Amino acid sequence: DVKVTQSSRYLVKRTGEKVFLECVQDMDHENMFWYRQDPGLGLRLIYFSYDVKMKEKGDIPEGYSVSREKKERFSLILESASTNQTSMYLCASTEGGRGEQYFGPGTRLTVT
Amino acid sequence: GENVEQHPSTLSVQEGDSAVIKCTYSDSASNYFPWYKQELGKRPQLIIDIRSNVGEKKDQRIAVTLNKTAKHFSLHITETQPEDSAVYFCAATANQAGTALIFGKGTTLSVSS
């Protein structure tokens, strides 16, 4: 049974803070993804990674960076949090191309 | 890049009725089209998917159809039940490897008994 976990369910940060969101998967999946989910906007891809130390920009990478030092762990970094980054952040992983993406439970981030 | 449009944004049906959600995509190179269901407070989960070499796929009460010429695909749910109430997302592949997906904005389906 695939398990994708995220470091926090709820997080409150102040404007300008550096924020780390972590995601871990236990199925040796090659591909990992970060999305943000906002009402009426669906799931928007921020970054994805297809291998350790490899990353590609998604649709909305501005204001974010990522790190993948180990295969099972994919981190999303907000270098200087802003109020418009208040959102639900979802991590996902998949074994290969054209397969089911398994999502984590999400982190609801509030930036004040 | 790929763009996915999804309609309607909300859909209300009576229990037992059918529900249809439609999506269009822009990139003719897209070749994988999954549908995800997200219940309130839960994570999205794959319910059905279709690849570009197939026109229709069915799994019990749900089916997906794909028209590659017109670049649209649809989700059909028959004999709807209250537990079908959720947000449904369509998606299409966004890169050549087929790993990244672009999602539609979602359809909130409400099934009343």
Side-chain angles (χ1 to χ4, degrees):
Chain A
D1 205 21
V2 177
K3 195 170 182 182
V4 181
T5 57
Q6 295 183 227
S7 50
S8 306
R9 291 301 302 271
Y10 301 94
L11 207 53
V12 179
K13 294 292 182 180
R14 294 200 179 274
T15 302
E17 279 193 86
K18 191 168 185 175
V19 182
F20 292 87
L21 303 182
E22 292 206 320
C23 175
V24 178
Q25 50 93 5
D26 68 355
M27 283 300 292
D28 202 35
H29 284 173
E30 296 173 355
N31 305 290
M32 297 187 74
F33 309 86
W34 275 106
Y35 296 92
R36 65 176 282 176
Q37 183 173 20
D38 301 288
L41 296 179
L43 296 161
R44 292 182 291 167
L45 182 63
I46 304 172
Y47 268 98
F48 66 101
S49 169
Y50 51 91
D51 201 352
V52 174
K53 296 190 187 295
M54 305 303 289
K55 62 186 179 185
E56 285 210 24
K57 293 179 180 179
D59 275 350
I60 52 165
E62 297 78 19
Y64 304 94
S65 62
V66 291
S67 173
R68 192 164 181 204
E69 297 295 319
K70 293 186 177 182
K71 192 174 185 179
E72 68 271 17
R73 190 179 297 268
F74 192 34
S75 301
L76 180 70
I77 304 154
L78 288 67
E79 295 290 341
S80 178
S82 64
T83 54
N84 62 12
Q85 293 178 309
T86 291
S87 186
M88 172 68 83
Y89 289 88
L90 288 164
C91 172
S93 72
T94 187
E95 184 174 345
R98 302 172 194 85
E100 179 172 2
Q101 289 195 11
Y102 295 88
F103 285 84
T107 296
R108 185 164 295 283
L109 172 67
T110 302
V111 183
T112 62
Chain B
E2 177 67 280
N3 184 48
V4 176
E5 299 282 341
Q6 182 172 347
H7 299 280
S9 56
T10 60
L11 181 58
S12 296
V13 299
Q14 292 284 326
E15 183 177 359
D17 287 351
S18 293
V20 181
I21 303 170
K22 299 182 179 182
C23 289
T24 60
Y25 60 98
S26 60
D27 188 351
S28 56
S30 290
N31 54 18
Y32 174 65
F33 307 92
W35 287 87
Y36 284 78
K37 175 184 180 182
Q38 186 177 29
E39 296 176 4
L40 190 63
K42 296 191 176 180
R43 65 193 81 183
Q45 289 193 298
L46 179 72
I47 55 170
I48 195 166
D49 57 14
I50 192 166
R51 297 170 195 272
S52 59
N53 57 348
V54 175
E56 185 174 357
K57 184 176 178 180
K58 196 171 181 181
D59 183 4
Q60 299 183 336
R61 296 186 298 108
I62 59 173
V64 57
T65 58
L66 172 65
N67 183 327
K68 285 217 74 181
T69 303
K71 289 190 280 189
H72 67 71
F73 56 112
S74 301
L75 178 72
H76 304 254
I77 306 174
T78 58
E79 299 171 27
T80 54
Q81 300 167 3
E83 52 265 38
D84 294 328
S85 296
V87 180
Y88 292 80
F89 295 99
C90 64
T93 46
N95 63 341
Q96 201 167 11
T99 47
L101 296 174
I102 295 299
F103 284 84
K105 293 183 178 179
T107 296
T108 301
L109 174 64
S110 300
V111 181
S112 53
S113 54

